[in-house]
Amino acid sequence: MSIWLGLAGFGIVFFSAVLMVGLSYLRRKTPSVFRDIPAFTRLRQAVGLVVEDGSRLHVSLGRGALTTPQSASALAGLALLRRLADLTSAGDRPPIATSGDATLAILSQDTLQTSAKSSEQAVFDPAAGRLTGLTPFSYAAGAIPAIRDENVSANVLMGNFGVEVALLTDAVERESTFVLAGSDDLTAQAVIYASAPEPLIGEEIYAAGAYVESSPLHSASLTVQDILRWLIIAAILVGALLTLAGVL
Amino acid sequence: MADVLCPKCGESNPAELENCQFCGARLTPLSDSKPVDFQPIKVGVNPVKEGINDFEKVIPARGDPIYPGEAPTRKNTSELEPTLPTWLHSLRKGQDSTEGTSAADTSTDQDLPLSPVPAASPDSSGDLPDWLSGLEKAASSEEEEVPGWLASLRGEKTVTSVPASEPASEPISNAADNLSAIPGDADWVAPLGSEPESAMPEITLQGDQQGEGESPDWLESLKSETAAPATQEKPASPGEGVPDWISALPSSSEENQPASGQAENLPDWLDQLEEKAVDSKPAQTSDEGKTIGPDFPDWLTNFESAPRTPDVTAGESLPDWLSGLEAKTSPESAASAPTFNSELPPSSPAHGEAPDWLSQFQAEVNAAQEQEAKKEQFEVAPPPSAQDITKEKETGMLPDWLAGIEPGTVPTEGTPALIASDESTTPEEKDAAAFLMEMPDWLSKLKPEQGIEDDLEADAETSNLGNIEISELPSWVQAMRPVESVVAGARAAPPDSRVTEQMGPLAGLHGVLPVGPGLGPLRKPPAYTNILQVTDGQQRYVSTFERLISRETQPQAASRTRLASNRLWRWLIAGLLILAITLPLVTGISITQASKLQPPEMINAFTLIGSLPSNAPVLVVFDYEPALSGELEAAAAPLMDHLLLQGPRLTLISTSPTGPVLAERFLHDTDSSPLVASHDYQAGQQYVDLGYLAGGPSGVQYFAISPSEAAPFTLDGQPAWQLPPLQGLQKLSDFDAIIVLTDNADSGRVWIEQTGSTIGNTPMLMVISAQAEPMILPYYNSGQIKGLVTGLAGGEAYGQTFVSPGAQTGLAQRYWNAFSTGTLVAEILIVVGALWNVVNGWRTRRRKSGEGI
Amino acid sequence: MSAISSANLVDLITGGISFLLTLMVLSYLIGDNPAFRVAVYIFIGVSAGYVAVVAWHQVLYPRLIFPLLSGNLADRLLAVVPLVLGLLLLFKLSPRTARLGTPSMAFLVGVGAAVAVGGAVMGTIFPQTSATFRLPSFASMSPELSQLFNSTVLKPNLEKFFEGMVAIVGTVATLVYFHFGAKATAFGPQRGKLVNVLGWVGQVFIAITFGVLFAGVFVAAITALIERLNFIITFLSSL
Amino acid sequence: MNRKSPLSSFIAITSTAIAIASGVLVLAGYFFAQKSDGQASLLADIRLALLGWAITLAGFAIFIGVLNLLQAHFKKIQQKQKGSGYSLLLITFLVATFLFGLASPYFQGGPQYFNDVFSVVQLPVEASLMALLAVTLTYASIRLLRRRLNLLSVIFLVTALLILLGTAPLPFLGVIPGLGDWVRPFITQVMAAAGARGILLGVALGTLTTGLRILFGADRPYGGNK
């Protein structure tokens, strides 16, 4: 039984992989259109303002350890960080990246360094990618000073958070700066929904790549998600009918 | 247009003559110029710069331009000549490249006048089948000259997508070679070949064989042009088209070198390369836009606005084009969406105008009074760019510039838009998007016609765009003039040195263009601008522009002022909550009767615990953060009290680093959990603490498969599985019960899902924080969890169901009153506060609207 | 005697420290202030140190040092790989040498991505999908027509059936809400009618879900507040 | 990123190769964990081994992270930046805790004292931070309608209030009948569960594609060029 389950799982992954590659090539000819997510629009404006007034951008990547399934949200956050770092590369100061997991902190430094190099900025400050704490709350508490003291005018909280995200959104609210927040954790999403002006719900955080970067592969991923989505819906409905009929 | 004025001597000649009968200077190219001229430029990357540097370089090569000081009115047609080289050059390049590859071209030339589309199709089908289809579709839907445009558009598409990946993947020098060795390089032929086809209709309208006659020296001019950048690939040649080309390449090749090597991420680097190569387009259209002398803003606005005509018309007929347009809005930039949408309406009128605007332009060429009309605009035209230059100089707000240009290019262009989704990897693009906010405001000011009136509405701005299309073309024609004088001065210069211009508005061009990877338009440009001769007219516009900037920064301030945080509310909430909680705790009065709720899942847990045999091995998982220890200790205390009363052998484990300590504390700390601590369980005899189980889900799975391997040691580092509490336990299913204390739905799910296959008949109970309930409850309903205690309420209910023999009251009971009062106060606060905020917000909104009226 | 007093003293000191720290943190309610900062930085330092210690005692020692010192050849060989990768990580300490540590991070990222994908498919997509269509089958509901009207069988089943239906609608609608694909129109990207309608229903479900979760978080938070205040009170009363 | 040295491009290539290879292996271990006879397959063993390494490596990374933390705060102190006093505090407590923790197993009652350090410093602070949320969240929900005044926000608040009323008894009244035993369970177990499921499935889809992009080597956060 579990063998079949494994095969099915493999099938899904393989199917989506093929779809992604194929679509990413099609996308080059006919790009796809995606629904408007206002949060990203505002993010662009905020980033623009950051570059203009020489303030700083703060990206917080959460505390999802790489060895856990929660890593994906952090990886999405890293992809976004790279884009934003490029966008603000000409700003007076590079963005700050805070994270609650050591591996993420290292990755954020790599990302910022790469961006700094590609934008030919000689100076790269490793302190720009910080580990602010190794437990969820110490991480959040450690990120608060970054939000308050470093002339940050736009915050992006994207990654695996728990309820501690409320501390961050609250600190941002006190500073009345911009914040775009999203998490893969449901409780965190609920908190964000209530406490952040620009919440990203559910899988929207994974769309950041496509909305901010829009490389063919990213937009292809969204289309793949849509396709799988409808497959799942179909599965649910069929399954429901079958159970009703007593087959399952 | 009966007569043509000779560009050199100004005498008028019969139109059919190709050379001036008086001075022998070439005449005909002029008439071809307009149509072909802006096509390549508007359409794609290279054409734009090719156009530009052709224009710079071919001027010397071609016959004498107007002499400086001659009255424009007399020389009106010859003023237009400067524009020749642009199209002419691209045309020539196209032709000789196609000649270099396929002899079919010449034949197609003859065919073209009869039927443009078939003409294009034969050899297009040869190398570029995909745009052929688009071409045919287009031809069906467009009038006379449009097919050509479409063809070129299609051609452009292939230009960017096909060859791009090639040169980009190799070192710059090779890429440069590719450029210079045009006939040799197939990739190059494709795009270049596509251009002449697009141009054909117009060419054949007026003397095309003449075009062929000239081919040799075009070839060399072409060579010189491409060779120049190839040899000197350095930031100092921005005005160049090709250097840009290359400047774009480093960014791609450099960034991709590591990638290009490896086979695994082929898809990635391939598309990256294409992206990068494509990037060169927005990159340098914008760069020219901001750096090149006065005329360029108009150029760009022209070239951007012009293509709109075919594209939009095509947009109706060709769905994929339309999707191309759409593509801009969502994937590329959410920000560009509004502007794009707002732009569509004006663009459709635009395409209505453009065709006749074209023909009208042809007619205008010789009409003096028309020229006069344009001269006004010419006076107006340069300043915007003057403003820009000064603007770059003072405030590093180039992105606005870009933004100003992008909306023009990006949403309106059909085919490039297809690429645009790739482009957007360039910082520039992003910036443009990021700044689109400000763009409408000042771009609208940039339009000479618009002057300094400011309205922030997008539709107003787009209407401006609409006007530009009609009115601005003349201005760039005019704008050639100063350049003429410059070039006339530097005519003798060799092809390469034409790059470095000494004076005139175009001067400094080359110091300007940022070259190299990541050099976004956000970059503050080098101080080259001081060699600009700024006329007082330009000065006027500079000041104007400063005003614009200052105005433009205002919305920024506005957007900064968000809802100010309200301290008073915080203090009020804090004070009331603390008061409401402290009073019951201090006084200890009971104002709330015990909960009568007996959730079935809690009852199940109760009966299950009660049914455990004594000395039963029980695994207790401590998976909560210290932050929630208060809630979970209160919730779990009654259950654990009940459990310990059965005298089981406990095995403790945790997947959070802090878990083990919390477990120890929970078992022993008399303050935080008197109920449990009273049992005084002894480590090693009655329970074993396996400590921290690293690795999250996989760790749990590992533990589920083989506990003794996954967690071999106790908290204090001694081998655990020989200790009495673990005697005779090998598998997870050997435990009589598994109790998971967690605050986090994820870790709860992990334990349920990862142990599912190995847990056997061992029942799993959970004590969870209230926040995890909705995610965990389904597993109770599905029978994967046998019992559940949720939060303080669950603990209290359990405490009601199971009365500790010592008749001690657990934390839950002690907290219960405070909990009820505290929650009540919070509820009231929320309701009142929310209403207050609604009313307030409504009032402020009404006040605002009142001011607005 | 002295032992007792010393024990009390220890309790007093430890309790006093916790008490002070609690007050310092709660002072954040008034506003950000040095006291809060001090408490937070101490907290960060201690927790980081604590986690590092746990990492040593519970991860590195048993998984790396122990096998290397007292393991058989296979164990040692297996332990060498993470040792090398770990040493490479040390290069990450300086931006100049950081590149050398890249392979280790690449390994972590690769494994992490795989764990994420595997967990998403096997851990969420399959179980959650199958869990959604748990409806009482009509077969079980009415083995015989006579039983169909037997309320003891029918009523709970009908309830279950209704709940199951709501669950299906809710799940599907929520899924649909996230649908990204759209058609560009003059008014920006628009989704199909059906998608919009279902998506709106989904949004309602999302709002309800978040409401429930938010209430849960709030209860947890207020319980923590109660626990803290209770601690303060007990400490003060113990003086 | 690195046009400079062939070394760096070599590193980039090998890194991407490592990432993809390890990822694919682990993934295969997920799906083909069991042989037909139900025994763990070779792939499953490989996966466990790789995961073991990853976990160990993550342990290493914690130390790197701690060292980074120390670096950053040392720098703050050296440059006498604002708040360097706090940094000093942090460093002191970090080092002290760490050394004490390392030494604790080797003297009498050490582990107990170490646990005390935890429950004296970390636990109260974390619990207090959580307690702060009670106020923060109340404030947030009050501001919500000011920020986004729409039907969904209202639904959100009303649901939250209903759940609160159904969870906590009112003084002197107890839980409102019907609310605690019918409305709350229905909302929580049926509606919220359904919504949560939908969101979780969506998140899983996003996770899937994000992970795949990594496995393609398309996204390379590890200092690749993307």
Side-chain angles (χ1 to χ4, degrees):
Chain A
M1 175 53 205
S2 115
I3 296 178
W4 298 119
L5 210 61
L7 279 177
F10 173 76
I12 288 185
V13 172
F14 186 76
F15 172 67
S16 9
V18 172
L19 267 183
M20 270 174 78
V21 176
L23 285 171
S24 64
Y25 277 107
L26 288 184
R27 284 287 162 268
R28 226 169 258 114
K29 289 197 165 46
T30 62
S32 46
V33 186
F34 299 120
R35 72 180 156 98
D36 192 25
I37 298 182
F40 288 122
T41 317
R42 310 237 168 75
L43 173 63
R44 291 168 169 283
Q45 302 163 7
V47 169
L49 297 180
V50 164
V51 179
E52 272 184 25
D53 63 11
S55 58
R56 253 182 135 161
L57 176 72
H58 169 231
V59 179
S60 211
L61 296 169
R63 45 162 173 101
L66 275 184
T67 50
T68 67
Q70 283 74 39
S71 58
S73 54
L75 293 172
L78 279 167
L80 183 60
L81 171 63
R82 174 62 207 276
R83 297 306 313 153
L84 296 178
D86 287 346
L87 286 190
T88 56
S89 58
D92 300 349
R93 305 173 68 192
I96 319 167
T98 57
S99 40
D101 176 77
T103 50
L104 282 185
I106 297 172
L107 285 180
S108 66
Q109 287 180 350
D110 290 344
T111 308
L112 290 173
Q113 194 172 9
T114 310
S115 165
K117 274 185 185 162
S118 64
S119 62
E120 287 185 348
Q121 287 174 323
V123 287
F124 164 67
D125 173 16
R130 295 177 202 164
L131 177 68
T132 56
L134 285 167
T135 66
F137 271 84
S138 65
Y139 149 64
I144 291 178
I147 295 175
R148 297 182 68 90
D149 302 347
E150 312 232 5
N151 184 23
V152 165
S153 69
N155 302 271
V156 177
L157 316 176
M158 192 175 281
N160 172 248
F161 300 88
V163 291
E164 72 272 8
V165 75
L167 287 176
L168 299 178
T169 50
D170 179 60
V172 172
E173 205 268 356
R174 289 171 184 235
E175 295 293 301
S176 25
T177 49
F178 173 87
V179 61
L180 170 78
S183 171
D184 60 348
D185 178 86
L186 271 176
T187 3
Q189 285 180 38
V191 172
I192 289 168
Y193 189 80
S195 62
E198 305 296 343
L200 286 180
I201 300 171
E203 65 197 278
E204 285 173 354
I205 56 171
Y206 300 103
Y211 275 78
V212 179
E213 178 169 8
S214 85
S215 78
L217 200 59
H218 279 96
S219 39
S221 336
L222 287 199
T223 318
V224 171
Q225 286 182 42
D226 282 349
I227 295 172
L228 292 178
R229 180 189 327 279
W230 289 102
L231 287 182
I232 289 178
I233 291 174
I236 290 176
L237 296 181
V238 171
L241 289 179
L242 290 182
T243 35
L244 277 184
V247 179
L248 275 182
Chain B
M1 45 194 292
D3 283 10
V4 178
L5 291 187
C6 167
K8 188 167 183 188
C9 60
E11 301 297 333
S12 82
N13 299 273
E16 52 276 8
L17 284 187
E18 52 183 80
N19 286 12
C20 174
Q21 49 197 346
F22 303 94
C23 67
R26 196 184 317 122
L27 298 170
T28 30
L30 161 60
S31 43
D32 306 26
S33 76
K34 308 133 228 129
V36 188
D37 193 8
F38 37 71
Q39 279 169 28
I41 289 167
K42 68 161 153 289
V43 177
V45 189
N46 336 354
V48 179
K49 28 175 157 46
E50 273 155 17
I52 291 144
N53 50 53
D54 299 348
F55 144 68
E56 294 158 3
K57 106 156 141 291
V58 180
I59 287 162
R62 184 182 34 72
D64 217 351
I66 57 162
Y67 300 116
E70 270 175 336
T73 33
R74 225 185 103 253
K75 286 244 162 272
N76 46 19
T77 52
S78 53
E79 278 164 11
L80 290 170
E81 297 214 8
T83 66
L84 290 186
T86 321
W87 71 269
L88 175 54
H89 187 78
S90 57
L91 165 59
R92 293 164 169 172
K93 204 175 352 67
Q95 277 192 339
D96 70 50
S97 59
T98 40
E99 281 163 9
T101 50
S102 66
D105 276 11
T106 46
S107 63
T108 50
D109 293 2
Q110 276 93 33
D111 304 348
L112 268 167
L114 315 174
S115 58
V117 180
S121 37
D123 81 329
S124 65
S125 54
D127 40 1
L128 320 158
D130 64 330
W131 61 263
L132 166 64
S133 57
L135 181 55
E136 279 163 351
K137 281 195 240 111
S140 60
S141 68
E142 315 265 332
E143 57 270 52
E144 271 297 338
E145 63 264 60
V146 181
W149 297 42
L150 286 180
S152 73
L153 287 172
R154 286 320 202 177
E156 286 321 318
K157 182 164 129 216
T158 54
V159 172
T160 42
S161 62
V162 178
S165 59
E166 264 302 317
S169 61
E170 15 190 85
I172 300 88
S173 55
N174 308 7
D177 298 347
N178 278 356
L179 296 182
S180 50
I182 274 161
D185 189 320
D187 297 311
W188 262 92
V189 178
L192 293 176
S194 69
E195 277 168 31
E197 267 99 53
S198 65
M200 276 321 143
E202 295 81 0
I203 301 151
T204 44
L205 285 182
Q206 304 115 344
D208 52 353
Q209 59 275 81
Q210 163 268 339
E212 283 149 35
E214 302 266 332
S215 50
D217 51 348
W218 312 346
L219 189 55
E220 77 187 6
S221 71
L222 169 61
K223 286 272 187 268
S224 66
E225 175 221 6
T226 46
T231 49
Q232 33 114 342
E233 160 259 329
K234 60 178 194 292
S237 55
E240 270 313 295
V242 180
D244 291 341
W245 219 145
I246 285 166
S247 71
L249 292 182
S251 65
S252 56
S253 58
E254 173 183 44
E255 284 204 14
N256 297 330
Q257 247 167 0
S260 59
Q262 53 223 41
E264 296 88 330
N265 43 18
L266 185 75
D268 162 29
W269 71 259
L270 233 182
D271 74 41
Q272 270 190 7
L273 296 178
E274 302 198 5
E275 288 166 20
K276 287 295 182 284
V278 168
D279 297 342
S280 58
K281 170 206 164 211
Q284 114 241 13
T285 38
S286 52
D287 290 348
E288 282 154 3
K290 57 175 184 288
T291 52
I292 292 175
D295 13 33
F296 275 83
D298 304 344
W299 274 91
L300 287 171
T301 39
N302 269 313
F303 296 138
E304 266 106 50
S305 52
R308 180 179 301 172
T309 47
D311 297 347
V312 178
T313 37
E316 278 101 36
S317 60
L318 304 177
D320 63 330
W321 283 49
L322 183 54
S323 68
L325 294 169
E326 293 159 354
K328 283 325 298 163
T329 56
S330 59
E332 187 280 328
S333 75
S336 71
T339 39
F340 167 47
N341 305 336
S342 53
E343 249 166 300
L344 262 183
S347 67
S348 17
H351 77 70
E353 293 153 0
D356 57 30
W357 152 98
L358 244 185
S359 48
Q360 160 203 10
F361 175 71
Q362 303 213 334
E364 285 167 4
V365 170
N366 301 347
Q369 72 283 20
E370 284 286 8
Q371 278 302 334
E372 291 308 329
K374 292 180 186 58
K375 208 149 298 110
E376 266 101 71
Q377 284 148 359
F378 168 42
E379 261 103 60
V380 190
S385 53
Q387 298 164 355
D388 306 321
I389 290 158
T390 47
K391 161 163 155 256
E392 323 170 330
K393 190 166 49 193
E394 296 146 6
T395 68
M397 284 170 64
L398 287 175
D400 298 12
W401 227 127
L402 222 190
I405 292 146
E406 287 311 321
T409 13
V410 157
T412 47
E413 284 182 15
T415 333
L418 301 178
I419 303 142
S421 62
D422 300 3
E423 289 162 20
S424 52
T425 35
T426 37
E428 295 89 322
E429 187 78 1
K430 297 263 107 349
D431 306 332
F435 281 83
L436 272 174
M437 249 339 264
E438 289 84 63
M439 178 280 295
D441 174 8
W442 81 274
L443 175 67
S444 57
K445 319 261 189 322
L446 262 188
K447 310 284 165 291
E449 308 79 359
Q450 256 50 31
I452 314 149
E453 95 220 319
D454 74 314
D455 54 339
L456 294 156
E457 290 139 2
D459 47 307
E461 164 249 337
T462 48
S463 67
N464 303 345
L465 290 179
N467 304 349
I468 302 155
E469 296 166 14
I470 326 160
S471 58
E472 288 235 82
L473 182 61
S475 70
W476 68 257
V477 176
Q478 304 281 7
M480 291 312 104
R481 223 149 112 264
V483 182
E484 283 291 29
S485 57
V486 176
V487 181
R491 194 180 314 149
D496 281 9
S497 66
R498 71 187 152 68
V499 178
T500 60
E501 275 162 319
Q502 307 310 330
M503 40 185 196
L506 271 188
L509 246 194
H510 308 306
V512 176
L513 253 193
V515 172
L519 258 192
L522 286 178
R523 278 292 162 119
K524 298 180 174 70
Y528 57 87
T529 38
N530 54 5
I531 46 172
L532 257 191
Q533 315 155 326
V534 183
T535 72
D536 54 357
Q538 291 170 328
Q539 288 290 14
R540 216 170 52 250
Y541 282 100
V542 170
S543 53
T544 315
F545 188 72
E546 277 158 0
R547 280 210 305 285
L548 299 189
I549 293 174
S550 61
R551 198 185 286 102
E552 181 218 17
T553 50
Q554 282 159 3
Q556 166 188 96
S559 67
R560 264 297 145 69
T561 55
R562 312 172 73 84
L563 278 180
S565 175
N566 189 333
R567 268 171 174 249
L568 230 58
W569 267 107
R570 292 176 182 278
W571 290 342
L572 183 71
I573 296 166
L576 287 179
L577 273 183
I578 291 175
L579 200 69
I581 289 170
T582 322
L583 279 179
L585 282 178
V586 173
T587 57
I589 52 159
S590 166
I591 51 174
T592 314
Q593 68 256 54
S595 152
K596 291 191 184 54
L597 288 181
Q598 303 271 318
E601 64 268 22
M602 185 277 291
I603 297 296
N604 282 5
F606 174 76
T607 45
L608 229 156
I609 297 284
S611 66
L612 282 177
S614 71
N615 200 29
V618 175
L619 174 69
V620 184
V621 181
F622 283 82
D623 262 5
Y624 56 86
E625 294 299 326
L628 290 122
S629 54
E631 181 187 18
L632 273 148
E633 281 167 359
L639 181 142
M640 288 300 286
D641 179 30
H642 187 197
L643 173 69
L644 295 187
L645 209 68
Q646 314 281 329
R649 298 179 278 154
L650 292 188
T651 308
L652 313 182
I653 195 164
S654 166
T655 61
S656 94
T658 50
V661 194
L662 290 170
E664 295 294 327
R665 168 189 150 92
F666 185 52
L667 286 183
H668 298 301
D669 188 87
T670 46
D671 298 335
S672 62
S673 56
L675 278 180
V676 181
S678 63
H679 295 275
D680 190 24
Y681 249 51
Q682 289 309 315
Q685 283 81 41
Q686 291 152 299
Y687 77 92
V688 171
D689 191 337
L690 293 179
Y692 166 55
L693 178 64
S698 26
V700 173
Q701 196 186 38
Y702 194 14
F703 183 80
I705 295 169
S706 63
S708 53
E709 289 176 28
F713 300 101
T714 66
L715 188 57
D716 39 19
Q718 44 184 294
W721 296 81
Q722 284 76 27
L723 295 170
L726 289 175
Q727 287 306 323
L729 298 175
Q730 275 91 33
K731 310 188 300 297
L732 203 62
S733 51
D734 292 340
F735 290 98
D736 282 1
I738 299 176
I739 302 175
V740 180
L741 280 61
T742 182
D743 60 347
N744 176 337
D746 285 333
S747 67
R749 289 220 322 277
V750 164
W751 276 100
I752 294 166
E753 283 159 3
Q754 303 296 343
T755 59
S757 55
T758 56
I759 195 172
N761 300 326
T762 309
M764 178 180 280
L765 308 180
M766 280 204 180
V767 181
I768 59 172
S769 156
Q771 69 190 30
E773 188 181 15
M775 279 83 75
I776 297 297
L777 257 175
Y779 293 98
Y780 169 78
N781 296 332
S782 68
Q784 287 158 285
I785 312 175
K786 299 291 184 286
L788 193 63
V789 176
T790 304
L792 191 60
E796 207 274 342
Y798 201 106
Q800 295 301 320
T801 320
F802 168 72
V803 181
S804 179
Q808 291 171 288
T809 56
L811 288 172
Q813 284 99 323
R814 201 193 305 168
Y815 292 168
W816 197 239
N817 289 311
F819 181 60
S820 109
T821 49
T823 319
L824 178 65
V825 169
E827 289 157 355
I828 296 171
L829 275 172
I830 291 177
V831 172
V832 174
L835 291 179
W836 185 81
N837 267 319
V838 170
V839 175
N840 245 15
W842 176 71
R843 269 223 233 86
T844 45
R845 235 171 276 124
R846 207 181 51 169
R847 211 180 301 120
K848 277 210 189 75
S849 62
E851 288 163 359
I853 292 160
Chain C
M1 172 59 193
S2 67
I4 297 167
S5 64
S6 70
N8 290 345
L9 195 66
V10 170
D11 285 353
L12 193 65
I13 294 171
T14 53
I17 299 173
S18 327
F19 173 75
L20 276 181
L21 286 173
T22 305
L23 285 188
M24 288 159 105
V25 173
L26 290 183
S27 71
Y28 189 63
L29 290 175
I30 304 165
D32 196 358
N33 62 67
F36 173 74
R37 293 281 175 111
V38 168
V40 161
Y41 276 86
I42 291 177
F43 163 54
I44 297 173
V46 170
S47 62
Y50 177 82
V51 171
V53 169
V54 173
W56 173 261
H57 283 317
Q58 306 278 323
V59 181
L60 288 190
Y61 180 74
R63 286 173 175 273
L64 192 63
I65 313 300
F66 186 73
L68 278 177
L69 299 182
S70 62
N72 57 32
L73 186 64
D75 293 345
R76 296 180 187 209
L77 287 181
L78 277 181
V80 164
V81 181
L83 181 67
V84 172
L85 289 176
L87 293 179
L88 279 179
L89 267 188
L90 290 176
F91 287 110
K92 286 286 178 191
L93 283 176
S94 150
R96 249 174 275 94
T97 60
R99 262 186 288 117
L100 298 175
T102 306
S104 310
M105 293 316 293
F107 173 74
L108 272 176
V109 171
V111 173
V115 170
V117 171
V121 175
M122 310 299 279
T124 308
I125 294 183
F126 283 162
Q128 296 289 337
T129 309
S130 61
T132 309
F133 49 78
R134 276 212 193 76
L135 293 173
S137 77
F138 282 134
S140 74
M141 211 195 263
S142 61
E144 292 162 23
L145 204 64
S146 62
Q147 288 236 330
L148 183 62
F149 303 100
N150 173 348
S151 63
T152 58
V153 179
L154 191 58
K155 187 164 169 296
N157 274 328
L158 277 186
E159 273 177 14
K160 272 202 171 59
F161 179 74
F162 172 69
E163 291 181 354
M165 279 306 178
V166 174
I168 289 178
V169 171
T171 311
V172 169
T174 311
L175 266 173
V176 170
Y177 163 73
F178 288 112
H179 183 87
F180 289 106
K183 276 214 177 318
T185 70
F187 317 100
Q190 300 290 338
R191 305 193 288 183
K193 264 204 170 43
L194 175 74
V195 174
N196 275 338
V197 173
L198 272 174
W200 193 85
V201 177
Q203 270 182 302
V204 172
F205 269 91
I206 290 174
I208 291 176
T209 310
F210 285 166
V212 172
L213 289 166
F214 184 81
V217 177
F218 186 80
V219 168
I222 209 162
T223 315
L225 182 59
I226 294 171
E227 188 265 345
R228 276 298 96 190
L229 292 175
N230 183 51
F231 164 78
I232 291 177
I233 292 167
T234 41
F235 176 79
L236 288 178
S237 57
S238 74
L239 288 179
Chain D
M1 167 185 175
N2 27 34
R3 177 174 27 179
K4 311 158 198 51
S5 71
L7 169 67
S8 47
S9 60
F10 168 76
I11 288 179
I13 295 171
T14 32
S15 305
T16 316
I18 290 176
I20 293 171
S22 56
V24 169
L25 277 175
V26 172
L27 202 52
Y30 253 102
F31 296 133
F32 307 107
Q34 282 179 330
K35 289 185 292 204
S36 50
D37 58 3
Q39 296 304 312
S41 68
L42 174 67
L43 281 172
D45 297 341
I46 294 177
R47 166 166 164 266
L48 275 185
L50 288 179
L51 278 172
W53 294 349
I55 292 166
T56 318
L57 208 50
F60 252 105
I62 288 183
F63 285 92
I64 309 297
V66 168
L67 289 173
N68 270 329
L69 204 60
L70 291 176
Q71 265 185 343
H73 286 279
F74 267 127
K75 212 163 141 206
K76 260 192 172 180
I77 297 174
Q78 282 169 348
Q79 299 168 350
K80 302 226 169 3
Q81 286 179 20
K82 171 171 163 238
S84 53
Y86 299 127
S87 302
L88 187 63
L89 213 58
L90 186 149
I91 292 173
T92 329
F93 274 86
L94 200 166
V95 174
T97 314
F98 181 63
L99 295 181
F100 182 54
L102 281 190
S104 60
Y106 307 108
F107 61 87
Q108 183 55 33
Q112 186 48 47
Y113 288 127
F114 184 56
N115 291 354
D116 287 346
V117 172
F118 170 86
S119 43
V120 164
V121 176
Q122 184 162 355
L123 193 129
V125 174
E126 266 201 46
S128 311
L129 286 171
M130 186 69 192
L132 289 181
L133 293 192
V135 175
T136 302
L137 293 179
T138 316
Y139 180 72
S141 42
I142 286 178
R143 301 283 280 186
L144 176 60
L145 291 186
R146 183 70 175 278
R147 247 187 256 108
R148 298 194 302 270
L149 182 52
N150 57 31
L151 182 60
L152 294 173
S153 309
V154 175
I155 294 177
F156 171 87
L157 274 189
V158 171
T159 316
L161 286 172
L162 280 180
I163 298 299
L164 283 179
L165 283 172
T167 310
L170 295 173
F172 310 112
L173 297 179
V175 176
I176 301 164
L179 197 60
D181 49 17
W182 190 79
V183 174
R184 184 181 181 279
F186 179 77
I187 295 180
T188 312
Q189 300 182 28
V190 181
M191 307 196 76
R197 209 169 255 147
I199 300 175
L200 284 177
L201 282 170
V203 168
L205 292 179
T207 309
L208 174 61
T209 52
T210 310
L212 280 178
R213 279 204 304 274
I214 300 274
L215 295 184
F216 286 155
D219 287 356
R220 292 190 289 276
Y222 41 85
N225 55 14
K226 189 124 195 221

